[in-house]
Amino acid sequence: GEDVEQSLFLSVREGDSSVINCTYTDSSSTYLYWYKQEPGAGLQLLTYIFSNMDMKQDQRLTVLLNKKDKHLSLRIADTQTGDSAIYFCAERAGTNAGKSTFGDGTTLTVKP
Amino acid sequence: DAGVTQSPTHLIKTRGQQVTLRCSPKSGHDTVSWYQQALGQGPQFIFQYYEEEERQRGNFPDRFSGHQFPNYSSELNVNALLLGDSALYLCASSPRRAGFYGYTFGSGTRLTVV
């Protein structure tokens, strides 16, 4: 079945770059996502990438996809204290709406 | 434009009771998915509704059931509550034909079973 794995914690200094990594097992994963969850809140979609892409950049966010190794990463440039949150990697197979499988999240702590 | 609205925000129930959680999707979205998020874990897929029918279901027992109304809003019902049902229940909406762009989540309902 589908499985998504993430490291649990990452700590960086304000102004540094953060890199959050994710691996997935489902080779039919077509869409991959990064969501952010702040305390007491739901998940916020940050960005997504299709499986036929290698990279996607959106302002301070860069997503890299290595489909051969089933590895996804999220780089946050110039990390700020407001970026402190839990980041979830998720995958979805198929087209249109359908279930997504989420990892257990990486807690990013940004120190001033 | 209101996003996804869930009610109530918090709920305390006793083992064996039944609970109903409610969700109004984002305007323009016709598909509603429900997720359970236990403390320290990622969301787990419960089921998805589209055109008032359950379209996909995750690995959850029949105690979990749902409904979607003609206005696309949805309810999640859980019968015979167990302590292990304590979690954050998240509603996520998406447009069926462009759902690959990802979900819009509500803030969730925190259910505590005592």
Side-chain angles (χ1 to χ4, degrees), chain A residues 44-95:
Chain A
Q44 173 196 356
L45 178 66
L46 289 177
T47 188
Y48 60 90
I49 189 168
F50 299 146
S51 60
N52 60 357
M53 300 166 66
D54 298 323
M55 185 184 83
K56 180 179 181 183
Q57 190 152 2
D58 185 359
Q59 300 182 327
R60 291 192 298 123
L61 305 179
T62 302
V63 179
L64 295 178
L65 174 60
N66 182 326
K67 194 175 179 183
K68 173 176 170 289
D69 294 337
K70 299 191 186 71
H71 182 267
L72 184 73
S73 67
L74 174 68
R75 178 177 180 268
I76 305 173
D78 186 25
T79 313
Q80 303 297 307
T81 54
D83 294 323
S84 292
I86 304 175
Y87 290 80
F88 291 93
C89 170
E91 64 82 32
R92 174 186 292 178
T95 59

Side-chain angles (χ1 to χ4, degrees), chain B residues 47-112:
Chain B
F47 41 53
Q48 183 179 85
Y49 278 83
Y50 170 67
E51 290 184 339
E52 303 177 52
E53 289 190 18
E54 183 183 295
R55 300 292 178 170
Q56 274 189 298
R57 189 178 182 90
N59 190 24
F60 279 81
D62 292 345
R63 298 186 297 109
F64 289 77
S65 64
H67 190 77
Q68 186 180 35
F69 299 93
N71 67 352
Y72 308 124
S73 66
S74 177
E75 290 181 348
L76 164 64
N77 301 293
V78 187
N79 293 323
L81 284 166
L82 304 174
L83 295 180
D85 295 331
S86 295
L88 180 67
Y89 287 84
L90 294 165
C91 174
S93 73
S94 54
R96 181 72 179 172
R97 296 190 181 279
F100 45 82
Y101 288 119
Y103 293 128
T104 300
F105 278 90
S107 297
T109 295
R110 173 72 62 187
L111 173 65
T112 302

Side-chain angles (χ1 to χ4, degrees), chain B residues 1-5 24-29 93 104-105:
Chain B
D1 176 29
V4 177
T5 305
S24 292
K26 181 178 178 178
S27 177
H29 289 185
S93 73
T104 300
F105 278 90

